[in-house]
Amino acid sequence: MSGYPVPDQSGRLAVVTGANSGIGLETARRLAAAGAELILAVRNTGKGDTAAADIRATVPTARLRVEELDLSRLASVADFARRLTTAGRPLDLLVNNAGVMAVPTRHTTADGFELQFGTNHLGHFALTGHLLPLLAAGDHPRVVTLSSGTHHFGRIDFDDLQSERRYRAQRAYAQSKLATLLFADELQRRSDRHGWGLLSNSAHPGAARTNLQSAGPSLGRGRTETPFSIRLTMRIPGFWQDVDQGALPTLYAATSPDATGGEYYGPDNVFGLTGHPAVARKSRRARDTAVGERLWRESERLTGVSYPRSPLPLAAR
């Protein structure tokens, strides 16, 4: 557990999506080691239980539980949020980490959205909206949303958000990760405007070795397959970093007293592939507030989740 020293998180309740593997698992582990109570929000609860046991093996004092959450189904997102809302405990940290990458052929979610856009962006948009009252009641609440350096190649195509006319795996992934970055920034602006009291920022892990590089590209192929381009770069010394290092920008965004709302964090070495947490560069499209506002309105329409236009009632705090 080297690298960025996570400040004491005792008394804080955190939800980490996709916490059964990769960046999500390491983020949850480090938060638990710092004293936070964790909800591992995962699509496969069997894998979630395995991840929980893994965390407890290295952090015997860990306080955590596994909850089912399938971000590709809006009904599952609503059910997850309903369970937490019924419990009524304020939420201090939400890490929107889960994602799918570079699916070779076009797949759709249960609600008919292109899988990468629907899972990476719309699922987290809906989740954050449902959990907003619990977050507003939290202690200095934060929302950290994972993006990717790939967002630099993305463009929000409002005429074909679901890639129905033309599907290319990397193009769809880049659009989804640009969307998550636009969402994080717009969430901060709306929190400031409406008095939600949130700190919303974003992060990317750089080139971190996780199952993300093989899970998405293997979908629908019946076998696990890592794309040739990734296998090729795996042979370049210093190009990739281990998952514990890749989790550092997320942990910094989630816990550092110096992290700010609307900022984007990633590794500090050349091209943002490896290194320690630092402010990362956003693309010009990621800084387009008009696109961010339009995407927000469209996301509300598509998900049916409307965020409040005025401060949350005191009862929700």
Side-chain angles (χ1 to χ4, degrees):
M1 294 188 178
S2 60
Y4 168 67
V6 178
D8 181 35
Q9 299 295 298
S10 299
R12 292 180 68 78
L13 176 64
V15 170
V16 179
T17 69
N20 60 287
S21 65
I23 300 298
L25 173 57
E26 187 61 25
T27 297
R29 187 194 314 278
R30 291 287 302 276
L31 290 172
E37 184 175 346
L38 270 296
I39 297 174
L40 311 185
V42 299
R43 183 173 58 86
N44 185 316
T45 55
K47 292 182 178 180
D49 290 338
T50 299
D54 183 1
I55 293 173
R56 291 190 180 105
T58 55
V59 186
T61 58
R63 295 179 299 151
L64 49 85
R65 72 177 191 268
V66 175
E67 290 279 354
E68 181 179 359
L69 171 65
D70 184 348
L71 288 158
S72 70
R73 294 194 301 115
L74 292 178
S76 175
V77 174
D79 286 345
F80 172 86
R82 191 176 301 114
R83 295 195 299 274
L84 268 61
T85 301
T86 299
R89 183 171 171 187
L91 180 61
D92 305 303
L93 173 62
L94 171 62
V95 181
N96 290 324
N97 162 81
V100 61
M101 171 184 171
V103 179
T105 57
R106 186 177 182 273
H107 286 64
T108 57
T109 70
D111 305 285
F113 308 131
E114 187 276 315
L115 184 61
Q116 296 177 92
F117 186 77
T119 301
N120 299 350
H121 170 59
L122 292 177
H124 283 121
F125 178 92
L127 175 66
T128 307
H130 284 308
L131 294 178
L132 189 58
L134 295 181
L135 286 161
D139 179 21
H140 296 91
R142 293 193 189 192
V143 178
V144 180
T145 302
L146 270 289
S147 184
S148 165
T150 307
H151 89 271
H152 284 275
F153 305 102
R155 181 174 69 88
I156 304 299
D157 186 352
F158 287 106
D159 293 326
D160 192 24
L161 277 178
Q162 310 306 331
S163 302
E164 294 173 291
R165 298 177 184 173
R166 183 184 183 188
Y167 180 82
R168 289 194 300 179
Q170 289 293 345
R171 177 178 177 273
Y173 179 66
Q175 176 182 244
S176 77
K177 285 304 183 177
L178 174 58
T180 64
L181 192 48
L182 288 164
F183 163 65
D185 288 358
E186 183 65 17
L187 180 62
Q188 184 63 63
R189 288 191 290 270
R190 292 187 181 235
S191 177
D192 294 341
R193 186 184 312 151
H194 301 309
W196 298 338
L198 300 180
L199 188 156
S200 170
N201 57 24
S202 51
H204 78 90
R209 298 184 189 91
T210 71
N211 67 351
L212 189 66
Q213 288 88 35
S214 58
S218 301
L219 192 64
R221 290 185 168 174
R223 66 185 186 279
T224 300
E225 183 173 304
T226 301
F228 174 75
S229 59
I230 292 178
R231 285 187 278 120
L232 186 63
T233 59
M234 289 280 189
R235 299 181 179 183
I236 301 175
F239 193 99
W240 291 83
Q241 60 186 0
D242 291 333
V243 67
D244 57 344
Q245 188 80 10
L248 296 185
T250 301
L251 289 162
Y252 184 91
T255 67
S256 173
D258 297 324
T260 58
E263 198 54 271
Y264 177 45
Y265 300 97
D268 62 354
N269 285 350
V270 64
F271 303 122
L273 297 176
T274 62
H276 292 276
V279 173
R281 185 175 65 87
K282 299 176 185 177
S283 70
R284 177 182 55 81
R285 291 189 178 107
R287 291 181 274 110
D288 191 326
T289 58
V291 171
E293 291 174 359
R294 183 180 176 186
L295 177 64
W296 186 283
R297 294 192 300 270
E298 186 66 8
S299 299
E300 285 192 325
R301 185 187 72 81
L302 290 169
T303 62
V305 176
S306 296
Y307 286 60
R309 293 332 193 243
S310 59
L312 293 166
L314 291 178
R317 296 177 180 270

